[in-house]
């Protein structure tokens, strides 16, 4: 993770994932996907499963991706 300090009025800090961190996103998503498959076996959970995957994708989007 990289840290960037912005000097404007009160000091603000932004954090960005490095290339290594962005590469880990793929692994984390695959582990999450595997876990969902293991927990949500039947068709009644398919909508919730898809919504969960989309939520994680949204959370994993970074400014630099």
């Amino acid at each position: 993770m990289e840290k960037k300090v912005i000097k404007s009025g009160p000091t603000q800090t932004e954090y960005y994932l490095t290339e290594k961190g962005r590469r880990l996103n793929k692994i984390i998503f695959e582990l999450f996907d595997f876990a969902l498959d293991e927990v949500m076996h039947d068709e009644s959970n398919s909508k919730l499963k898809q919504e969960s995957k989309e939520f994680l994708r949204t959370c994993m989007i970074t400014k630099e991706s």
Side-chain angles (χ1 to χ4, degrees):
M1 182 171 290
E2 293 178 358
K3 177 180 173 181
K4 179 180 178 183
V5 177
I6 302 167
K7 299 187 186 236
S8 61
T11 303
Q12 296 178 356
T13 306
E14 292 182 354
Y15 293 90
Y16 298 94
L17 286 176
T18 60
E19 177 60 29
K20 190 182 289 187
R22 286 190 299 274
R23 287 178 48 215
L24 279 172
N25 271 345
K26 296 173 189 174
I27 295 167
I28 292 167
F29 183 81
E30 290 302 320
L31 286 170
F32 181 79
D33 191 37
F34 173 80
L36 282 177
D37 287 341
E38 292 300 308
V39 172
M40 299 182 172
H41 296 289
D42 58 29
E43 287 297 315
S44 64
N45 289 324
S46 64
K47 183 178 179 189
L48 179 59
K49 185 176 169 180
Q50 190 58 38
E51 289 171 353
S52 297
K53 287 182 183 183
E54 290 303 316
F55 177 75
L56 183 65
R57 279 191 190 101
T58 301
C59 291
M60 296 175 79
I61 293 174
T62 65
K63 291 182 181 181
E64 296 179 6
S65 14

